[in-house]
Amino acid sequence: WAAVLRHGEHVREIAGGELATTNNRMELRAAIEGLNALKESCVVELFTDSEYLRNGITQWIKGWKSRGWITKDKKPVKNADLWRELDAACARHRVTWGWLKGHAGHADNERCDVLAGEAIFAALNDAGRERADALYVSNMLSGLLSHQENLGALLADWIGWRGTEATKIEAACGSGGAAFRSAVMAVASG
């Protein structure tokens, strides 16, 4: 997860990562940490490329809360722990939610992708992993790859892959995230 906070000329970047998580949990975590980083109550314009996050907080959360964190289908709300944290963080501010298309050239969104990618590697290194499971890493990186052509080389080097596998990953990163995930799955299963 990552967030870029701006107020006038001041810019603050924050990021972090967790193992065994999902993109949706990290989208929620980014919003929570960004709002919690504000020292006093503020008027906030919060932009996200996650429709799950924006729709959840602007449309779905009222129903979830009124039903005791149960969906319309009578199932427990996924990530309810984080939705509760986000609801509490929002209550301290006046938040306007905006959506923007990911990987479309928005400077702060692109910067968040870079920061989140760096945080993933830091989390894996902190866990002491000598060699990462390729499918696990591909899930962690999904959505971050379409604009980072050198990420394949970095990943291949970090994991310690050589030869054909590294070439497949490097080539796939240049053509976008979906191709990268296919190449990693082929490497993992082949």
Side-chain angles (χ1 to χ4, degrees), residues 99-114:
W99 182 83
L100 52 87
K101 183 178 169 97
H103 312 293
H106 186 279
D108 287 342
N109 185 254
E110 299 292 330
R111 182 65 182 146
C112 283
D113 285 345
V114 170

Side-chain angles (χ1 to χ4, degrees), residues 30-104:
I32 292 163
E33 297 299 331
L35 291 169
N36 286 344
L38 302 173
K39 295 181 180 173
E40 56 189 58
S41 180
C42 298
V43 175
V44 177
E45 290 181 281
L46 197 151
F47 291 90
T48 180
D49 63 3
S50 169
E51 292 188 53
Y52 171 74
L53 174 59
R54 187 194 56 174
N55 291 340
I57 198 67
T58 62
Q59 298 173 27
W60 307 330
I61 197 166
K62 288 179 186 170
W64 294 337
K65 288 168 60 175
S66 70
R67 289 187 297 274
W69 297 97
I70 301 295
T71 67
K72 287 180 182 178
D73 297 331
K74 302 193 185 321
K75 296 178 183 173
V77 171
K78 290 180 182 176
N79 305 313
D81 58 329
L82 294 178
W83 285 114
R84 285 183 179 107
E85 276 190 67
L86 181 57
D87 190 39
C90 287
R92 292 188 297 275
H93 307 285
R94 282 195 4 223
V95 183
T96 302
W97 291 85
W99 182 83
L100 52 87
K101 183 178 169 97
H103 312 293

